[in-house]
Amino acid sequence: MWTNENRARYDRSHLRYPSDLSDDEWKLVEPLIPPGKRGGDKRTVIMREVVNGLMYILSTGCQWRAIPKDLPPRSTFVRLFRPMELGWHARSHTL
């Protein structure tokens, strides 16, 4: 039931996009993000912005090429998440 307490709890008007993670939500997700690889260049992308971009795609259903310019570029998503997809695909065929 929508009470005044619940309305305040689920209010997303202070976020850039309604799909962006709130600070409390990010605290839950952040430990699940793998750390950057050792050696080489340090990670330059802000992982919270990458997750916000994924949430934007999932909530709006927009095309990858239509991601707003203030979110990381499509190439960042492909570079970071394509290996995970391939790993899942490989594991699913070995079961």
Side-chain angles (χ1 to χ4, degrees):
M1 176 191 264
W2 282 108
T3 63
N4 287 338
E5 181 181 321
N6 279 339
R7 286 185 195 282
R9 183 176 175 194
Y10 293 104
D11 179 32
R12 302 187 79 75
S13 63
H14 65 283
L15 300 171
R16 176 183 48 180
Y17 298 109
S19 59
D20 283 355
L21 297 178
S22 67
D23 291 338
D24 291 335
E25 292 166 338
W26 176 244
K27 286 178 189 175
L28 295 172
V29 172
E30 187 177 22
L32 304 174
I33 304 293
K37 294 181 181 177
R38 291 176 31 152
D41 294 335
K42 291 187 177 186
R43 182 181 280 167
T44 57
V45 67
I46 299 169
M47 291 305 293
R48 183 173 182 168
E49 288 301 301
V50 173
V51 173
N52 283 339
L54 287 172
M55 297 301 292
Y56 183 87
I57 293 289
L58 292 171
S59 67
T60 64
C62 83
Q63 298 171 344
W64 283 105
R65 295 188 190 281
I67 295 174
K69 299 292 184 200
D70 59 342
L71 292 171
R74 181 177 76 101
S75 60
T76 300
F77 295 101
V78 172
R79 182 173 42 86
L80 290 172
F81 291 99
R82 183 70 178 166
M84 286 187 219
E85 177 185 326
L86 292 174
W88 173 83
H89 182 70
R91 284 193 309 270
S92 67
H93 287 290
T94 59
L95 296 177

